[in-house]
């Protein structure tokens, strides 16, 4: 599905709504949203039962916090995070400045903000495996940057630094670790910026003048600052064995980390789960606690920092609190020593006692932090809150408690105050299973409201499930979910301003934000006299014939949604257009809904009907209406859209689904408008193009929309396919990397060129240097050369070349309005058989003339193009479309003039 920027799509809808409703006054809120987390299949790294209990018990009393900082999803050192979080039970978080929006996508066509949605969920999947927490700033990944200075031209330095400071103050780490040096050695300008900002935040987190408490939270002073020594192991001052084996888990921390790392599937980062000793290393850069200890003599990340339970007594406001803490420590020790995997019930009594004591310490006079906060009260509060949460987890595990919240459908409608007769409450059955050996009772259960304030910590009293419930039994209560707004991805709730998302990150991490926007059930149980609060997502559960048990998070959605399925299509200007537009309309209502759909077309196009009416029911909640259009349009970018009317209410948003097995299913909202990019373009005569799709590739659709006969080709079928019927064959970007079968069958393509065909290959990475891939060798430097400035001047070296003149004369206007970058992974050296046509470069760099190459191969032509067509075509850049037509035109072809 092709998407352009949300700002552009919103402009289409805004204009369309005015035209569609005339004098009707309508209040519209256009939002793009992401569904909350789906319960994915449990990872092998996710311990359960006694193994999970053993891990939680081991972490009781550990109060250390480490914040790691990088620039993108995939920058994090998952082996370090897993070793800390799973192995040392340290609260460990990764702060990614961006969501990876500007990268590329090996598994689908999502780019830009949509790719950021995919990579955000990949990070969340990774953290669920390695045990870390996840934070972001508001920075948008605008694409590759070569220097920190260039990066800060896109990201206001103080704004992003303020975001990092806000995270430091919210998470309150004793130790910070930057994954990059903050120097040109890091390569990517975003990497350099992350290294710079991490250190600046370490220095500034306590500065309440520059970063006031009211905006950034209470001041915090991290005690130590390290940098990863991955890029410079000789400078390491602290080393750890991240390949350490955990007998309780049956795996090493590196094996867990490799599974976590492999969640970055959109980047092709699957790695082996190696066994054995594996070293990781850090360099201490700054410390506020043990400066007299040489960095090389440290034995621990927390050298000089007391993270033991004993220190909490020193922080206590009075002897009563200190005494309770001492007694709680003794109970925790008793629970650990009494733990038996075959009978975890033995740990319940000391866990109950420890939880009662910790709660007593928290509730004691002067125990809770007051304003203004001081370091002692804040550290004590954090430690008691963390320990209370871990004790509740441990108690639920020891008691063998399981809770499910099941809904009869995956979506339900947002409550519309103007429509009282619509059934907009979702029944949810909350079931508690007592699989342990002690009785439990249900104190309360409730569903968090969606779109309003989160529920309090006290779920509504469960009068319908009073009394104790014996071991081996289960009991259920029914509650209702109601939404006043759709479940939405909070960071995209408003359009971006430049390269910053508009919504401040606040003081909560991604998981906490997600919990507020998901549909969650809250349950309070009483286990042996102490209350335990549990939160579970409300899910729709079904059995897939192949995958088995599937649980999909329930979403609140608008009652009626409508979409055109795409945000942009090409058309030929000045040529008769006959095209079908498919309008998808959905109902989330529990009863029948009569919906009227209208299509608004630009000047020059007419449809076979002005509107269509359908009745949508729960059994058939979706319909696709096909409008046939015809006419002639002028050159330029044109607006069109679709609206749905239901009970005098206007709907102008729709959603589509991002659904990959390794991440949470996402319902992504967008306005129901689209662009038509009308291009003045001539076509080659008698063209018949074969197309092998690449990664994030819109080339096939662009050719189809421009009326070029094109046929998709399966790389596996190349040996048995008659390629002679094609006038040219096009390979999409990174096609060889995406398909090993294509590499194996590449000789058939080169043979096609030798026999007189035109073979057009879009850019690849280092695999293009392998013998047998290209007809003549090329070399790529490391890092590869690229022109990141999208408006970098283009110097034409061969003005009369066919590629730049037939059938379309490529001129200066064709290089205007490009997006994100000019070219990527440009060869640094090429064989003399290649002819060059264009030269370009970023400021202060030498020119590179290898963005477009052509070579004679036998009787045919081989074209290699590293220009970033994969970014231009989805965004409707006219010059990229005209150039693509030239590339597929054989040298001897004739040209048909466009019909006027």
């Amino acid at each position: 599905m092709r998407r352009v920027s949300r700002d552009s799509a919103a402009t289409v809808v805004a204009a369309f709504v005015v035209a569609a409703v005339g004098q009707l006054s309508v209040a519209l809120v256009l939002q793009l949203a992401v569904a909350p987390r789906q319960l994915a299949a449990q990872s092998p790294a996710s311990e359960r039962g006694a193994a999970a209990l053993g891990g939680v018990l081991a972490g009781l009393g550990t109060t250390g916090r480490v914040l790691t900082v990088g620039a993108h999803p995939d920058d994090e050192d998952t082996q370090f995070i897993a070793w800390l979080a799973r192995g040392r039970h340290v609260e460990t978080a990764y702060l990614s400045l961006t969501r990876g929006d500007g990268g590329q996508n090996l598994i689908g066509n999502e780019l830009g903000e949509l790719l950021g949605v995919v990579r955000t969920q990949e990070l969340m999947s990774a953290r669920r495996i390695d045990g870390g927490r996840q934070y972001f700033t508001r920075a948008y990944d605008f694409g590759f940057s070569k220097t920190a200075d260039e990066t800060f031209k896109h990201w206001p330095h103080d704004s992003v630094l303020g975001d990092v400071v806000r995270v430091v103050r919210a998470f309150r780490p004793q130790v910070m670790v930057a994954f990059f040096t903050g120097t040109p050695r890091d390569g990517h300008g975003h990497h350099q910026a992350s290294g710079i900002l991490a250190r600046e935040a370490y220095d500034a987190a306590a500065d309440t003048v520059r970063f006031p408490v009211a905006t950034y939270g209470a001041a915090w002073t991290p005690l130590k600052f390290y940098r990863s020594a991955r890029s410079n192991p000789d400078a390491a001052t602290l080393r750890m064995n991240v390949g350490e084996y955990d007998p309780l888990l049956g795996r090493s921390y590196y094996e867990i980390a490799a599974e976590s790392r492999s969640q970055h599937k959109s980047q092709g980062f699957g790695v082996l789960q190696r066994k054995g000793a594996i070293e990781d290393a850090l360099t201490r850069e700054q410390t506020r606690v043990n400066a007299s200890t040489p960095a090389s003599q440290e034995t621990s990340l927390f050298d000089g920092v007391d993270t033991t339970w004993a220190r909490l007594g020193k922080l206590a406001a009075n002897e009563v609190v200190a005494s309770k803490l001492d007694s709680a420590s003794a109970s925790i020790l008793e629970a650990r020593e009494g733990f038996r995997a075959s009978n975890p019930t033995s740990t319940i009594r000391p866990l109950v006692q420890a939880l009662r004591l910790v709660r007593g310490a928290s509730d004691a006079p002067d125990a809770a932090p007051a304003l203004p906060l001081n370091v002692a009260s804040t550290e004590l509060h954090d430690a008691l809150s963390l320990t209370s949460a871990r004790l509740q987890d441990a108690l639920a595990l020891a008691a063998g408690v399981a809770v499910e919240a099941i809904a009869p459908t995956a979506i339900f409608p947002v409550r519309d105050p103007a429509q009282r007769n619509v059934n907009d409450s979702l029944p949810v059955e909350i079931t508690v299973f007592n699989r342990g050996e002690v009785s439990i009772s249900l104190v309360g259960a409730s569903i968090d409201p969606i779109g309003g304030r989160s529920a309090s910590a006290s779920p509504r009293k469960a009068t319908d499930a009073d009394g104790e419930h014996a071991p081996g039994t289960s009991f259920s209560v029914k509650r209702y979910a109601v939404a006043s707004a759709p479940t939405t991805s909070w960071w995209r709730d408003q359009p971006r301003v430049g390269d910053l998302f508009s919504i401040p990150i606040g003081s909560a991490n991604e998981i906490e934000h997600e919990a507020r926007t998901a549909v969650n059930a809250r349950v309070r149980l009483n286990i042996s006299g102490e209350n335990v609060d549990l939160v579970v997502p409300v899910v729709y559960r079904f059995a897939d014939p192949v995958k088995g048990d599937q649980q999909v998070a329930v979403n609140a959605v608008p009652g009626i949604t409508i979409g055109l399925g795409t945000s942009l299509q090409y058309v030929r200007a000045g040529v008769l257009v006959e095209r079908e537009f498919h309008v998808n309309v959905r109902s989330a209502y529990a009863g029948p809904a009569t919906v009227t759909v209208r299509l608004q077309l630009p000047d020059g196009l007419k449809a076979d009907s002005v509107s269509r009416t359908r009745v949508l029911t729960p059994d058939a909640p979706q319909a696709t209406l096909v409008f046939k259009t015809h006419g002639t349009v002028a050159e330029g970018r044109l607006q069109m859209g679709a609206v749905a009317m239901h009970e005098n209410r206007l709907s102008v948003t729709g959603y589509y689904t991002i659904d990959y097995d390794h991440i949470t299913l996402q319902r992504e909202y967008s306005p129901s408008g689209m662009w038509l990019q009308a291009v003045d373009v001539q076509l080659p005569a008698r063209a018949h193009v074969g197309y092998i799709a690449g990664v994030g590739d819109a080339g096939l659709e662009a050719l189809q929309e421009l009326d070029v006969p094109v046929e998709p080709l399966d790389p596996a079928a190349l040996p048995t396919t008659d390629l002679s019927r094609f006038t040219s064959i096009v390979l999409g970007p990174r096609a060889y990397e995406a398909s090993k079968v294509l590499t194996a069958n590449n000789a058939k393509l080169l043979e096609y060129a030798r026999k007189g065909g035109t073979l057009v290959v879009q850019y690849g990475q280092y695999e293009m240097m392998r013998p047998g891939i290209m007809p003549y060798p090329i070399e790529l430097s490391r890092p590869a050369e690229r022109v990141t400035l999208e408006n970098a001047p283009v110097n034409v070296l061969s003005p009369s070349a066919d590629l730049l003149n037939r059938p379309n004369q490529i001129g200066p206007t064709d290089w205007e309005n490009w997006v994100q970058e000019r070219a990527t992974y440009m060869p640094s050296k090429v064989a003399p058989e290649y002819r060059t046509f264009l030269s370009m470069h970023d400021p202060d760099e030498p020119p590179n003339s290898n963005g477009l190459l052509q070579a004679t191969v036998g009787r045919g032509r081989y074209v290699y193009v590293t220009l970033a067509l994969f970014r231009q075509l989805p965004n409707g850049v006219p010059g990229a479309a005209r150039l693509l037509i030239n590339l597929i035109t054989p040298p001897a072809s004739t040209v048909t003039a466009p019909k006027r």
Side-chain angles (χ1 to χ4, degrees), residues 43-46 73-74 76-83 86 94 119 121-132 134 251-265 267 269-273 662-663:
S43 161
S46 301
D74 84 345
E76 78 272 30
D77 185 345
T78 55
Q79 58 192 26
F80 177 64
I81 294 174
W83 178 80
R86 296 286 190 188
Y94 173 50
R119 292 193 174 179
Q121 292 303 317
E122 288 181 333
L123 273 177
M124 300 302 294
S125 293
R127 296 294 81 78
R128 285 192 285 271
I129 291 169
D130 60 35
Q134 184 63 50
R251 309 176 79 191
S252 73
Y253 305 119
Y254 182 86
E255 288 176 278
I256 294 171
E259 183 186 345
S260 170
R261 180 72 170 174
S262 296
Q263 300 310 298
H264 295 298
K265 299 183 189 301
Q267 305 184 69
F269 280 170
V271 296
L272 293 173
Q273 296 184 21
H662 67 299
I663 63 173

Side-chain angles (χ1 to χ4, degrees), residues 371-708:
L371 293 176
L373 294 174
N374 58 59
V375 173
S377 63
T378 301
E379 289 192 9
L380 181 59
H381 174 265
D382 287 349
L384 293 178
S385 297
L386 174 62
T387 305
S388 176
R390 288 180 173 178
L391 282 167
Q392 291 181 73
D393 288 344
L395 193 49
L397 288 166
V401 169
V403 180
E404 294 179 344
I406 307 297
T409 181
I411 60 173
F412 70 106
V414 173
R415 171 165 288 176
D416 188 338
Q419 294 177 299
R420 299 178 182 274
N421 296 326
V422 174
N423 183 3
D424 52 14
S425 296
L426 180 73
V428 177
E429 185 171 6
I430 302 172
T431 304
V432 180
F433 299 87
N434 184 357
R435 302 186 292 182
E437 297 183 9
V438 299
S439 296
I440 61 176
S441 58
L442 179 65
V443 178
S446 62
I447 308 294
D448 282 1
I450 305 302
R453 293 183 178 180
S454 295
S456 68
S458 300
R460 182 161 61 87
K461 191 175 188 303
T463 55
D464 45 357
D466 286 342
E468 289 192 345
H469 298 271
T473 63
S474 63
F475 50 96
S476 300
V477 294
K478 182 171 285 188
R479 295 290 183 264
Y480 291 87
V482 177
S484 59
T487 47
T488 179
S489 56
W490 56 275
W491 75 92
R492 302 183 69 228
D493 193 42
Q494 299 294 329
R496 279 187 290 112
V497 176
D499 288 317
L500 287 184
F501 288 104
S502 297
I503 302 176
I505 58 173
S507 60
N509 70 12
E510 179 76 358
I511 295 173
E512 291 160 350
H513 273 295
E514 192 170 283
R516 288 208 298 269
T517 57
V519 183
N520 287 318
R522 293 178 180 267
V523 175
R524 174 167 289 178
L525 303 173
N526 188 277
I527 303 174
S528 297
E530 281 297 308
N531 289 339
V532 173
D533 291 323
L534 303 174
V535 179
V536 296
V538 177
V539 299
Y540 168 63
R541 188 175 187 181
F542 63 97
D544 182 275
V546 175
K547 299 178 182 179
D549 190 329
Q550 300 294 294
Q551 298 183 36
V552 181
V554 168
N555 286 185
V557 302
I560 301 295
T561 52
I562 182 171
L564 283 158
T566 183
S567 293
L568 181 141
Q569 289 187 19
Y570 283 104
V571 295
R572 294 167 64 200
V575 176
L576 179 63
V577 175
E578 294 183 347
R579 185 165 298 182
E580 293 183 349
F581 291 98
H582 295 238
V583 181
N584 302 312
V585 60
R586 296 181 177 99
S587 170
Y589 292 123
T594 301
V595 183
T596 299
V597 175
R598 297 190 62 184
L599 196 66
Q600 182 76 14
L601 295 169
D603 292 342
L605 285 186
K606 294 183 179 180
D608 55 355
S609 64
V610 175
S611 64
R612 307 276 176 83
T613 299
R614 292 289 186 275
V615 177
L616 304 178
T617 66
D619 292 333
Q622 178 176 336
T624 299
L625 308 180
V626 180
F627 290 82
K628 295 181 179 180
T629 66
H630 66 278
T632 304
V633 296
E635 183 179 6
R637 182 160 286 200
L638 312 172
Q639 298 175 347
M640 66 174 293
V643 296
M645 295 293 296
H646 169 64
E647 296 186 359
N648 296 320
R649 306 290 291 180
L650 184 66
S651 298
V652 292
T653 58
Y655 66 80
Y656 72 100
T657 301
I658 298 176
D659 188 8
Y660 299 104
D661 286 345
H662 67 299
I663 63 173
T664 301
L665 181 147
Q666 303 293 301
R667 290 186 178 90
E668 190 66 21
Y669 288 78
S670 63
S672 57
M674 67 173 289
W675 296 110
L676 290 178
Q677 184 65 55
V679 183
D680 182 7
V681 61
Q682 296 184 4
L683 304 181
R686 299 181 297 278
H688 185 197
V689 178
Y691 202 103
I692 298 175
V695 172
D697 189 6
L700 177 65
E701 291 84 355
L703 291 173
Q704 290 172 332
E705 292 160 6
L706 292 170
D707 302 326
V708 175

Side-chain angles (χ1 to χ4, degrees), residues 206-231:
D207 186 344
T208 57
V209 175
R210 186 178 180 187
F211 299 103
V213 171
T215 303
Y216 297 94
W220 182 254
T221 303
L223 301 178
K224 304 180 76 176
F225 185 88
Y226 292 81
R227 292 193 190 274
S228 171
R230 288 181 297 180
S231 64

Side-chain angles (χ1 to χ4, degrees), residues 81-150:
I81 294 174
W83 178 80
L84 274 178
R86 296 286 190 188
R88 299 301 178 267
H89 309 288
V90 169
E91 285 289 286
T92 308
Y94 173 50
L95 168 59
S96 177
L97 298 188
T98 77
R99 298 173 182 272
D101 324 75
Q104 299 165 37
N105 187 354
L106 271 178
I107 60 174
N109 290 332
E110 295 87 2
L111 293 174
E113 287 190 20
L114 299 186
L115 178 58
V117 171
V118 173
R119 292 193 174 179
T120 293
Q121 292 303 317
E122 288 181 333
L123 273 177
M124 300 302 294
S125 293
R127 296 294 81 78
R128 285 192 285 271
I129 291 169
D130 60 35
R133 296 168 67 181
Q134 184 63 50
Y135 290 86
F136 298 91
T137 75
R138 292 171 294 168
Y140 173 73
D141 181 352
F142 56 85
F144 191 87
S145 172
K146 294 182 176 178
T147 67
D149 288 342
E150 179 190 357

Side-chain angles (χ1 to χ4, degrees), residues 46-67:
S46 301
E47 57 271 34
R48 317 173 200 181
L53 175 58
V56 177
L57 289 174
L60 288 172
T62 302
T63 60
R65 293 175 183 262
V66 175
L67 176 65

Side-chain angles (χ1 to χ4, degrees), residues 11 17 112 169 180 310 326 386 439 500 586 615 798 837:
T11 302
V17 167
R169 291 182 178 182
F180 294 101
D326 287 342
L386 174 62
S439 296
L500 287 184
R586 296 181 177 99
V615 177
S798 303
F837 302 89

